[in-house]
Amino acid sequence: MTGERARGAVLYAAAAALVAGGATWWFLSAPPDRGSDQVKQWQAAVEQALPDTDEQIDAETATLAAGDERPFVTAVDTDEYLVSVVCRGGPDTYVRVSLSESGRDSGQGLRCSDERRPDSFKVGLADELRLYVIVGEPGPVVFRYSLQRVPS
């Protein structure tokens, strides 16, 4: 009986070593995750293209997946505001930005795959800014907006 136990222990130890070696090989041979590095670069690019300023009322940066729909809401006083938007992403990426509750109006298309400058537009607001962003099928993208009051 002792010989059988010894053989069983050797067999189990060999199997455990094989599994541990395979798992180690699996993790070490996996390619580096370049996706997160790329997203960090896009985030830095949108924050450089549309930096924080003392004049802004609000600004936000978000990473959005392909097909995402997301509202951005900011409480404001009744006045005229300048809304600036920019995004970065891979080839053929884009977002649609609208000023509606559901995002079902046509909105403004914004290409994310180019090194484009931020788009800005003036809008009169009462109570809140509601930006509704819809990401196209290629993704992800990094989207940033900024809101500031238009000087009187």
Side-chain angles (χ1 to χ4, degrees):
M1 213 41 135
T2 311
E4 265 184 53
R5 284 192 172 176
R7 279 192 304 247
V10 168
L11 183 62
Y12 283 121
L18 187 63
V19 168
T24 302
W25 170 82
W26 176 267
F27 286 109
L28 292 178
S29 67
D33 184 13
R34 300 202 190 287
S36 62
D37 290 343
Q38 186 66 62
V39 169
K40 288 177 186 176
Q41 289 174 359
W42 293 336
Q43 183 173 356
V46 298
E47 290 174 351
Q48 183 178 11
L50 197 55
D52 287 332
T53 65
D54 292 337
E55 295 81 31
Q56 74 189 28
I57 305 295
D58 191 28
E60 187 173 346
T61 303
T63 301
L64 305 169
D68 272 0
E69 298 184 18
R70 172 147 178 224
F72 294 86
V73 181
T74 301
V76 297
D77 296 327
T78 302
D79 207 341
E80 187 176 24
Y81 294 87
L82 180 68
V83 179
S84 300
V85 294
V86 67
C87 65
R88 291 288 184 271
D92 301 322
T93 53
Y94 67 93
V95 298
R96 292 208 69 75
V97 180
S98 61
L99 291 171
S100 69
E101 194 163 318
S102 68
R104 299 299 175 222
D105 64 1
S106 64
Q108 175 179 349
L110 187 62
R111 293 182 108 3
C112 303
S113 56
D114 306 348
E115 293 294 319
R116 298 182 62 155
R117 297 175 53 144
D119 286 353
S120 297
F121 53 92
K122 291 181 184 177
V123 63
L125 298 172
D127 297 327
E128 68 182 19
L129 165 71
R130 180 177 291 273
L131 284 178
Y132 197 83
V133 178
I134 300 173
V135 180
E137 279 312 308
V141 301
V142 177
F143 174 80
R144 179 167 173 80
Y145 82 93
S146 175
L147 176 68
Q148 64 185 39
R149 191 181 313 260
V150 173
S152 304

